[in-house]
Amino acid sequence: QVQLVESGGGLVQAGGSLRLSCAASGDILAISVMGWYLQAPGKQRALVATITNGGTTNYADSVKGRFTISRDNAKNTVYLQMNSLRPEDTAVYYCNAYIRTFLKPGGSNTWGQGTQVTVSS
């Protein structure tokens, strides 16, 4: 069984910074894409950023220049550095990873439990 555990959310004032972490654990063979998504109240879950195991990144337009995604492949961990935070960034942030395991060698999409980020004005 594989799980993703997020940490680092919280309350911050507009203009501030937060760093989210997400560690994968369990019966892991390999992890390809890892990423972060957000879900604001009453809205659908949306992409924030993704990163491949080779380091190729992709960002939503709304966070380009403010957020940076990175990963430590040795630790099966992905990070999201969030700077210049705005009230509209307030949401639950979910970690996502496509993970191959011994039971599912073809891989499966796995989600974390989410971490709340609240930006006050």
Side-chain angles (χ1 to χ4, degrees), residues 77-90:
T77 299
V78 64
Y79 306 96
L80 185 68
Q81 178 66 43
M82 304 186 294
N83 298 329
S84 302
L85 281 160
R86 305 166 179 169
E88 54 263 39
D89 295 320
T90 295

Side-chain angles (χ1 to χ4, degrees), residues 6 16 19 22 36-37 39 42 44 46-48 50 53 57 60 65 69-70 78 86 91 95-96 108 115:
E6 299 121 331
R19 188 187 194 216
C22 171
W36 292 94
Y37 292 73
Q39 189 164 17
Q44 290 188 331
L47 169 74
V48 177
T50 61
N53 54 7
T57 59
I69 190 170
S70 61
V78 64
R86 305 166 179 169
C95 176
N96 175 268
S108 62
T115 185

Side-chain angles (χ1 to χ4, degrees), residues 60-81:
D61 288 343
S62 60
V63 306
K64 285 180 180 177
R66 300 189 298 125
F67 292 8
T68 302
I69 190 170
S70 61
R71 66 189 279 177
D72 184 331
N73 291 329
K75 296 181 179 179
N76 292 328
T77 299
V78 64
Y79 306 96
L80 185 68
Q81 178 66 43

Side-chain angles (χ1 to χ4, degrees), residues 8 18 38 52 56 68 87-88 91 112:
L18 283 174
L38 63 80
T52 68
T56 300
T68 302
E88 54 263 39

